[in-house]
Amino acid sequence: MANSAKDLQLIELKDTISELNKLVGTLQQTIVSLNAREAELKQERDNLKDQVALLTKKLFGSSSERRVHSRECSGQLSMFDDTENLDIFNEAEAEQDPPAALLEETEKTTPRPRKKKTVQAERFSGIPVKKIRLDLPRDQKNCPECGSPLKEIGEEFVRRELQFIPAKLKVIEYYSVNYSCPVCEEEETPHNYKGKSFYPHHLHGMGSASAIAWTMYQKYCNCVPLYRQEKDWAQYGADLSRGTLANWIILNSRECFAPMMAFLKRRLLKRKFLMADETTTQVLKEPNRRAQTRSFMWVYRTGEDGDVPIILYKYSETRAGENARDYLDGYSGYLMCDGYSGYNKVKTAKRCSCWAHVRRYLVEAVPKGKENDLTQPAVQGLAYVNRLFRLEKEIHEKHQDPDAIKQARLKKEKPVLDGFWTWLDKQTFVRGSRFEKAIVYIRNRKLYLETYLEDGRCSFSNNASERSVKPYVMGRKNWLFADTPDGAVASEMVYSIIETAKANGVNVYHYLTYLLEHCPSPHTTDEELERLAPWNEDVKAELEKMFQDEDKTGSVS
């Protein structure tokens, strides 16, 4: 019995030990799982902290991408240095292990040349000058000592003033003078004749070309909404509602600008280097769509190839790639744009991708407080990209010929690119991190990021088209939305005319007035439209004459 009791006790102890072992194993698995979960939650927390830091920087920080190249003292990092200043390797080191190449060298920068101070005469060089002589009164032109007449010996500059001449309104009423032949009246076959204007009047509403151009200029150049313009017109004594002003813009742009828009588009599609971008807009009364639904305004412009610039806008309800495909139908050449995959539907275009977007993704991937830590992968990537930007600037400062630019790019930038791709292939990342987004973005666009090497006229970044989008974005912040699709189409046409005029260096208000006065029709030939284009030298001479005439009268009616 004793042996039997001991055996039972032993069996129970073994079972207990087995259960405890199972419990220990379960607890160990639970600990491992909890540790993994803790690590996952910590990583998620870090990702969210980085996201908050990024959003805070975007909300309250500087939005400028200007580079600062300076060090307070040699060998010491400055708290004011940007992460994008870390250019610390040369082309020969691009083939080395990237961290080693980055950490072994110190940054070599050249001081930024100080901008030449502008004198007053240069600041007002485009404004007519009226010279006023400060002379002595007639009764004081004799010497008070001896009474002899004073002799003029020269003049001395005293001061310069900028005078503002406010606008004035006047109503012009046209009357035709009628004539009849008295001889024919006696023969009972009267012939009557009426006076006619020098050019046909095509404008809608009672606004003159100058008044309509001023309304367009105020809204689309100075970002003044129509409800504010309504109050401004009232100050001058004109009772004009915002609805009237809107009709002036919509009807007259449709009548006078559409033929020029079609001509500019035909010229645009014949070019070999284009750039594109898009931004959101809001149109309230789109058919079968809610007022809150986002619409889009696209911008298509010529590249940086040295030919006359053309900048065109296009409104669409969606961001679908078909919009770009349909607008660029018939185009064959290089297309610089951002990372949006919708541009891939433009099959006839050879796509280039923007290096400025690559830099932005890497900047956002740098952890807070690690901006100058060269052990951070994002900082290493920035060093490569910044080197490319500096080389690009040096090449364009030294060379103007496209073939020379191409050869210089292949010689100086291609080794840096090879080192960058080598570095990129070695990178690992944490899922959900900003560095992952940067690496995935770059890897998906590697094919397009080297296209610019094929021709010296290809752009390195899409910054030019982004600058062309900015006027629309600034205006949108003020007038907020378009009420109808007709208003959005009018905006696309007026913005296109204005930005193309700006890019060609002509006075925007005078050119709008000029185009409204000449009012091309659908039957106007391309040769005639070419003579109305803002790059035409005769047009520039006409606009200069308008400016001089305006100075003589002191106001524009």
Side-chain angles (χ1 to χ4, degrees):
M1 293 293 294
N3 290 337
S4 178
K6 289 181 180 180
D7 292 340
L8 290 174
Q9 188 178 8
L10 183 60
I11 293 172
E12 290 177 357
L13 291 174
K14 289 182 178 180
D15 292 340
T16 302
I17 292 172
S18 178
E19 291 176 359
L20 291 175
N21 287 334
K22 291 180 180 179
L23 180 60
V24 169
T26 303
L27 291 174
Q28 288 178 341
Q29 292 178 359
T30 303
I31 292 172
V32 171
S33 177
L34 290 175
N35 287 337
R37 178 58 178 167
E38 182 184 10
E40 183 180 345
L41 290 174
K42 284 183 178 180
Q43 186 60 51
E44 184 177 355
R45 180 203 62 188
D46 293 341
N47 292 343
L48 291 175
K49 288 173 66 177
D50 289 344
Q51 188 71 13
V52 169
L54 175 63
L55 295 176
T56 303
K57 179 181 177 182
K58 287 187 175 182
L59 184 61
F60 299 108
S62 172
S63 60
S64 174
E65 294 186 1
R66 182 180 177 182
R67 310 276 76 78
V68 180
H69 305 296
S70 64
R71 282 275 185 260
E72 290 186 349
C73 53
S74 178
Q76 179 177 350
L77 297 180
S78 169
M79 64 179 293
F80 299 105
D81 278 333
D82 196 333
T83 62
E84 300 166 342
N85 298 332
L86 302 175
D87 175 21
I88 33 82
F89 61 95
N90 52 40
E91 294 89 337
E93 294 161 339
E95 300 298 331
Q96 300 179 19
D97 181 60
L102 290 167
L103 293 171
E104 286 176 1
E105 297 292 330
T106 58
E107 182 181 11
K108 299 177 182 179
T109 60
T110 56
R112 187 183 184 90
R114 177 175 294 183
K115 184 178 179 180
K116 183 181 177 181
K117 188 175 181 180
T118 305
V119 297
Q120 286 187 347
E122 294 175 348
R123 288 160 54 193
F124 306 134
S125 59
I127 302 176
V129 177
K130 180 180 179 181
K131 186 176 179 179
I132 297 179
R133 290 167 55 91
L134 305 177
D135 205 349
L136 290 173
R138 182 172 297 180
D139 58 355
Q140 297 181 15
K141 290 190 175 182
N142 293 324
C143 179
E145 301 294 334
C146 66
S148 301
L150 298 178
K151 181 179 69 173
E152 183 177 337
I153 59 174
E155 60 185 16
E156 179 183 0
F157 174 78
V158 178
R159 69 179 185 273
R160 182 179 285 107
E161 293 179 347
L162 180 65
Q163 183 183 23
F164 174 73
I165 303 174
K168 295 181 180 179
L169 296 183
K170 60 182 177 181
V171 176
I172 302 176
E173 296 180 344
Y174 293 88
Y175 295 88
S176 65
V177 181
N178 300 335
Y179 295 88
S180 67
C181 178
V183 177
C184 293
E185 283 182 353
E186 293 178 358
E187 297 177 358
E188 297 183 353
T189 56
H191 291 85
N192 298 329
Y193 303 92
K194 296 183 178 182
K196 297 181 180 180
S197 61
F198 294 103
Y199 58 89
H201 183 75
H202 296 291
L203 300 178
H204 296 270
M206 70 164 290
S208 66
S210 60
I212 296 168
W214 181 250
T215 304
M216 294 177 174
Y217 177 80
Q218 284 287 80
K219 179 173 181 179
Y220 298 109
C221 266
N222 295 339
C223 307
V224 181
L226 295 183
Y227 78 90
R228 294 185 196 166
Q229 292 194 49
E230 179 182 356
K231 298 176 181 178
D232 197 37
W233 286 103
Q235 293 293 318
Y236 293 111
D239 184 12
L240 297 173
S241 69
R242 69 193 73 177
T244 298
L245 299 177
N247 285 331
W248 282 6
I249 294 175
I250 294 172
L251 298 177
N252 289 291
S253 62
R254 182 189 301 163
E255 183 79 19
C256 299
F257 294 169
M260 179 58 73
M261 285 285 293
F263 167 72
L264 293 175
K265 182 180 177 182
R266 290 192 292 272
R267 285 289 304 264
L268 183 83
L269 296 180
K270 290 179 181 179
R271 301 284 282 272
K272 294 299 180 184
F273 302 89
L274 296 187
M275 311 175 81
D277 202 3
E278 73 287 334
T279 187
T280 59
T281 189
Q282 188 175 7
V283 183
L284 300 184
K285 298 177 182 177
E286 291 175 321
N288 303 319
R289 304 186 86 206
R290 296 172 64 245
Q292 296 83 358
T293 306
R294 290 192 311 173
S295 301
F296 287 85
M297 186 66 75
W298 304 67
V299 61
Y300 304 93
R301 61 159 296 155
T302 51
E304 301 166 305
D305 55 359
D307 206 344
V308 292
I310 300 174
I311 303 172
L312 300 181
Y313 292 75
K314 179 61 178 172
Y315 152 74
S316 68
E317 292 184 351
T318 68
R319 199 190 181 198
E322 286 78 6
N323 293 299
R325 180 197 63 193
D326 296 341
Y327 191 85
L328 296 177
D329 183 34
Y331 171 70
S332 177
Y334 291 92
L335 178 63
M336 166 59 75
C337 50
D338 56 22
Y340 177 46
S341 60
Y343 292 107
N344 291 334
K345 294 191 176 182
V346 187
K347 300 296 184 182
T348 56
K350 193 160 190 178
R351 185 171 169 183
C352 303
S353 200
C354 173
W355 277 95
H357 281 75
V358 172
R359 181 166 59 185
R360 289 172 202 163
Y361 271 85
L362 288 171
V363 168
E364 293 176 359
V366 176
K368 184 178 180 180
K370 303 291 185 179
E371 290 81 2
N372 294 320
D373 185 358
L374 296 180
T375 63
Q376 292 293 325
V379 179
Q380 298 170 8
L382 277 174
Y384 283 105
V385 177
N386 289 325
R387 181 61 177 170
L388 291 174
F389 269 93
R390 293 190 191 176
L391 288 172
E392 190 70 15
K393 181 180 178 181
E394 293 172 4
I395 290 171
H396 279 83
E397 288 175 349
K398 186 176 181 180
H399 303 287
Q400 301 296 327
D401 180 66
D403 291 334
I405 292 174
K406 176 183 176 180
Q407 295 304 320
R409 281 173 169 175
L410 292 174
K411 179 181 178 181
K412 295 184 177 181
E413 296 182 19
K414 189 63 168 66
V416 182
L417 280 169
D418 293 339
F420 180 70
W421 302 133
T422 302
W423 168 85
L424 186 70
D425 292 338
K426 296 178 180 179
Q427 299 309 305
T428 58
F429 47 78
V430 178
R431 293 188 60 84
S433 65
R434 287 181 290 167
F435 187 62
E436 179 199 13
K437 294 180 181 179
I439 295 300
V440 172
Y441 179 89
I442 299 170
R443 286 176 177 173
N444 289 343
R445 288 152 187 84
K446 179 179 178 180
L447 179 64
Y448 308 131
L449 286 169
E450 283 196 346
T451 309
Y452 80 98
L453 295 174
E454 297 179 5
D455 196 298
R457 292 167 291 181
C458 285
S459 298
F460 183 69
S461 72
N462 200 35
N463 287 343
S465 62
E466 291 191 349
R467 288 192 295 268
S468 298
V469 167
K470 190 173 182 179
Y472 185 85
V473 175
M474 296 299 294
R476 183 186 64 199
K477 290 181 178 180
N478 287 272
W479 42 257
L480 301 179
F481 55 81
D483 187 54
T484 64
D486 287 340
V489 172
S491 296
E492 90 180 25
M493 288 194 285
V494 181
Y495 267 115
S496 298
I497 299 298
I498 286 176
E499 293 305 316
T500 301
K502 280 184 189 177
N504 284 277
V506 301
N507 184 288
V508 173
Y509 166 70
H510 290 153
Y511 183 69
L512 289 172
T513 306
Y514 178 84
L515 202 56
L516 288 167
E517 287 178 347
H518 289 76
C519 193
S521 71
H523 304 291
T524 306
T525 64
D526 281 4
E527 289 75 14
E528 294 171 325
L529 290 168
E530 179 72 29
R531 290 194 289 271
L532 297 177
W535 54 79
N536 188 284
E537 293 300 326
D538 293 335
V539 171
K540 293 183 177 181
E542 285 286 334
L543 298 182
E544 182 64 28
K545 184 175 182 298
M546 289 175 64
F547 181 76
Q548 294 173 357
D549 293 343
E550 180 179 308
D551 178 60
K552 291 177 183 178
T553 60
S555 63
V556 178
S557 61

